[in-house]
Amino acid sequence: MHHLLPVLVATPLLGATLLVAAGRHLPRVAAETLGGVFAAGTAGLAIVLLLNSSPPLTDWVGGWTPRAARASGSSSSGTAPDSAWPRSPPC
């Protein structure tokens, strides 16, 4: 599933690019629908990745990997819901 992490970032960017390129040529209803489709697709993909991210997913975008404990490049990480929420301090 880690290979889908960059798609989560690219999906809304692709939708925005399409709307910028074709938005003036589309009726308003079609442009709003296209935006909604990309938003829903991004949200659905985020939920799928969130539910399937145990252990935490990490993808080093562009093939950059850590060397000598130092990260270079961009990384995407996804964690499971139980580890993503802050826990309340013990009483």
Short mmCIF file of all heavy atoms in Angstrom, two decimals, residues 53-83:
data_model
loop_
_atom_site.label_atom_id
_atom_site.label_comp_id
_atom_site.label_asym_id
_atom_site.label_seq_id
_atom_site.Cartn_x
_atom_site.Cartn_y
_atom_site.Cartn_z
N SER A 53 -2.75 1.06 7.28
CA SER A 53 -1.41 1.57 7.52
C SER A 53 -0.80 1.04 8.82
O SER A 53 -0.16 1.76 9.56
CB SER A 53 -1.41 3.09 7.55
OG SER A 53 -2.20 3.55 8.63
N SER A 54 -1.02 -0.20 9.11
CA SER A 54 -0.40 -0.78 10.29
C SER A 54 0.51 -1.91 9.84
O SER A 54 0.03 -2.87 9.24
CB SER A 54 -1.47 -1.32 11.24
OG SER A 54 -0.87 -1.81 12.41
N PRO A 55 1.79 -1.87 10.02
CA PRO A 55 2.59 -0.84 10.66
C PRO A 55 2.63 0.43 9.82
O PRO A 55 2.20 0.42 8.66
CB PRO A 55 3.98 -1.48 10.74
CG PRO A 55 4.02 -2.43 9.61
CD PRO A 55 2.60 -2.94 9.46
N PRO A 56 3.13 1.55 10.39
CA PRO A 56 3.14 2.81 9.64
C PRO A 56 3.79 2.67 8.26
O PRO A 56 4.81 2.00 8.10
CB PRO A 56 3.96 3.74 10.53
CG PRO A 56 3.82 3.17 11.90
CD PRO A 56 3.71 1.69 11.71
N LEU A 57 3.15 3.28 7.27
CA LEU A 57 3.66 3.24 5.90
C LEU A 57 4.64 4.39 5.68
O LEU A 57 4.40 5.50 6.12
CB LEU A 57 2.51 3.39 4.91
CG LEU A 57 1.40 2.35 4.98
CD1 LEU A 57 0.28 2.74 4.03
CD2 LEU A 57 1.94 0.99 4.61
N THR A 58 5.72 4.11 5.02
CA THR A 58 6.68 5.15 4.64
C THR A 58 7.09 4.92 3.21
O THR A 58 7.41 3.81 2.82
CB THR A 58 7.93 5.11 5.55
OG1 THR A 58 7.52 5.26 6.90
CG2 THR A 58 8.89 6.23 5.20
N ASP A 59 7.08 5.99 2.44
CA ASP A 59 7.51 5.92 1.05
C ASP A 59 8.47 7.07 0.81
O ASP A 59 8.14 8.22 1.07
CB ASP A 59 6.31 6.03 0.11
CG ASP A 59 6.72 5.91 -1.34
OD1 ASP A 59 7.38 4.91 -1.67
OD2 ASP A 59 6.37 6.80 -2.12
N TRP A 60 9.65 6.77 0.34
CA TRP A 60 10.64 7.79 0.06
C TRP A 60 10.44 8.24 -1.38
O TRP A 60 10.80 7.55 -2.32
CB TRP A 60 12.05 7.26 0.32
CG TRP A 60 12.23 6.97 1.77
CD1 TRP A 60 12.04 5.78 2.39
CD2 TRP A 60 12.53 7.91 2.78
NE1 TRP A 60 12.23 5.93 3.73
CE2 TRP A 60 12.53 7.22 4.00
CE3 TRP A 60 12.80 9.28 2.78
CZ2 TRP A 60 12.81 7.85 5.20
CZ3 TRP A 60 13.08 9.90 3.97
CH2 TRP A 60 13.07 9.19 5.17
N VAL A 61 9.82 9.40 -1.53
CA VAL A 61 9.44 9.92 -2.84
C VAL A 61 10.69 10.23 -3.66
O VAL A 61 11.65 10.83 -3.17
CB VAL A 61 8.57 11.19 -2.67
CG1 VAL A 61 8.14 11.72 -4.02
CG2 VAL A 61 7.35 10.88 -1.82
N GLY A 62 10.69 9.80 -4.90
CA GLY A 62 11.82 10.07 -5.78
C GLY A 62 12.98 9.12 -5.59
O GLY A 62 14.03 9.30 -6.18
N GLY A 63 12.80 8.09 -4.77
CA GLY A 63 13.87 7.12 -4.57
C GLY A 63 14.94 7.56 -3.58
O GLY A 63 15.92 6.86 -3.37
N TRP A 64 14.78 8.73 -2.97
CA TRP A 64 15.75 9.19 -1.98
C TRP A 64 15.55 8.40 -0.70
O TRP A 64 14.46 8.29 -0.19
CB TRP A 64 15.56 10.67 -1.69
CG TRP A 64 15.86 11.55 -2.84
CD1 TRP A 64 15.00 11.94 -3.81
CD2 TRP A 64 17.12 12.13 -3.16
NE1 TRP A 64 15.62 12.73 -4.71
CE2 TRP A 64 16.93 12.87 -4.34
CE3 TRP A 64 18.38 12.11 -2.57
CZ2 TRP A 64 17.95 13.58 -4.94
CZ3 TRP A 64 19.39 12.82 -3.16
CH2 TRP A 64 19.18 13.54 -4.33
N THR A 65 16.60 7.83 -0.18
CA THR A 65 16.51 7.07 1.07
C THR A 65 17.51 7.64 2.07
O THR A 65 18.48 8.30 1.70
CB THR A 65 16.84 5.58 0.82
OG1 THR A 65 18.12 5.48 0.22
CG2 THR A 65 15.80 4.95 -0.09
N PRO A 66 17.28 7.39 3.36
CA PRO A 66 18.20 7.91 4.37
C PRO A 66 19.58 7.28 4.24
O PRO A 66 19.72 6.09 3.96
CB PRO A 66 17.56 7.51 5.69
CG PRO A 66 16.20 7.02 5.39
CD PRO A 66 16.16 6.69 3.95
N ARG A 67 20.60 8.09 4.45
CA ARG A 67 21.98 7.61 4.47
C ARG A 67 22.62 8.10 5.75
O ARG A 67 22.54 9.28 6.07
CB ARG A 67 22.76 8.14 3.27
CG ARG A 67 22.28 7.56 1.98
CD ARG A 67 23.16 7.99 0.84
NE ARG A 67 22.57 7.52 -0.41
CZ ARG A 67 22.84 8.03 -1.58
NH1 ARG A 67 23.69 9.03 -1.69
NH2 ARG A 67 22.27 7.55 -2.65
N ALA A 68 23.24 7.21 6.45
CA ALA A 68 23.91 7.54 7.71
C ALA A 68 22.95 8.26 8.66
O ALA A 68 23.30 9.26 9.28
CB ALA A 68 25.15 8.39 7.45
N ALA A 69 21.73 7.76 8.76
CA ALA A 69 20.70 8.26 9.66
C ALA A 69 20.27 9.69 9.34
O ALA A 69 19.73 10.38 10.17
CB ALA A 69 21.14 8.15 11.11
N ARG A 70 20.53 10.16 8.12
CA ARG A 70 20.07 11.48 7.70
C ARG A 70 19.17 11.32 6.49
O ARG A 70 19.54 10.67 5.53
CB ARG A 70 21.25 12.38 7.36
CG ARG A 70 22.05 12.77 8.55
CD ARG A 70 23.16 13.69 8.11
NE ARG A 70 23.89 14.11 9.28
CZ ARG A 70 24.20 15.36 9.52
NH1 ARG A 70 23.89 16.29 8.66
NH2 ARG A 70 24.86 15.68 10.61
N ALA A 71 18.02 11.94 6.55
CA ALA A 71 17.07 11.86 5.44
C ALA A 71 17.30 13.00 4.47
O ALA A 71 17.54 14.13 4.86
CB ALA A 71 15.65 11.91 5.97
N SER A 72 17.27 12.68 3.20
CA SER A 72 17.31 13.71 2.16
C SER A 72 16.18 13.43 1.20
O SER A 72 15.80 12.29 0.97
CB SER A 72 18.65 13.68 1.44
OG SER A 72 18.84 12.44 0.82
N GLY A 73 15.61 14.45 0.63
CA GLY A 73 14.48 14.25 -0.26
C GLY A 73 13.18 14.37 0.52
O GLY A 73 13.12 14.96 1.58
N SER A 74 12.12 13.80 -0.01
CA SER A 74 10.80 13.90 0.60
C SER A 74 10.34 12.52 1.03
O SER A 74 10.59 11.53 0.36
CB SER A 74 9.79 14.47 -0.41
OG SER A 74 10.17 15.75 -0.81
N SER A 75 9.64 12.48 2.14
CA SER A 75 9.07 11.22 2.59
C SER A 75 7.59 11.41 2.85
O SER A 75 7.14 12.51 3.17
CB SER A 75 9.77 10.72 3.86
OG SER A 75 9.48 11.60 4.93
N SER A 76 6.83 10.35 2.71
CA SER A 76 5.42 10.33 3.05
C SER A 76 5.22 9.22 4.06
O SER A 76 5.73 8.13 3.88
CB SER A 76 4.56 10.05 1.82
OG SER A 76 4.75 11.04 0.85
N SER A 77 4.50 9.52 5.13
CA SER A 77 4.26 8.51 6.15
C SER A 77 2.77 8.45 6.46
O SER A 77 2.09 9.47 6.46
CB SER A 77 5.01 8.84 7.44
OG SER A 77 6.39 8.83 7.22
N GLY A 78 2.30 7.26 6.72
CA GLY A 78 0.92 7.06 7.12
C GLY A 78 0.88 6.16 8.34
O GLY A 78 1.59 5.17 8.39
N THR A 79 0.10 6.55 9.34
CA THR A 79 0.02 5.76 10.56
C THR A 79 -1.41 5.30 10.79
O THR A 79 -2.36 5.92 10.29
CB THR A 79 0.49 6.57 11.79
OG1 THR A 79 -0.32 7.74 11.89
CG2 THR A 79 1.94 6.95 11.66
N ALA A 80 -1.55 4.25 11.54
CA ALA A 80 -2.87 3.70 11.84
C ALA A 80 -3.64 4.63 12.76
O ALA A 80 -3.04 5.44 13.47
CB ALA A 80 -2.72 2.32 12.49
N PRO A 81 -4.97 4.55 12.77
CA PRO A 81 -5.77 5.46 13.58
C PRO A 81 -5.43 5.43 15.07
O PRO A 81 -5.43 6.46 15.72
CB PRO A 81 -7.20 4.98 13.36
CG PRO A 81 -7.17 4.23 12.09
CD PRO A 81 -5.79 3.67 11.97
N ASP A 82 -5.13 4.26 15.62
CA ASP A 82 -4.86 4.20 17.05
C ASP A 82 -3.57 4.93 17.42
O ASP A 82 -3.43 5.43 18.53
CB ASP A 82 -4.81 2.76 17.53
CG ASP A 82 -3.75 1.93 16.83
OD1 ASP A 82 -3.35 2.31 15.71
OD2 ASP A 82 -3.32 0.93 17.39
N SER A 83 -2.62 5.02 16.52
CA SER A 83 -1.38 5.73 16.84
C SER A 83 -1.41 7.17 16.36
O SER A 83 -0.54 7.96 16.70
CB SER A 83 -0.20 5.00 16.22
OG SER A 83 -0.32 5.00 14.81
#
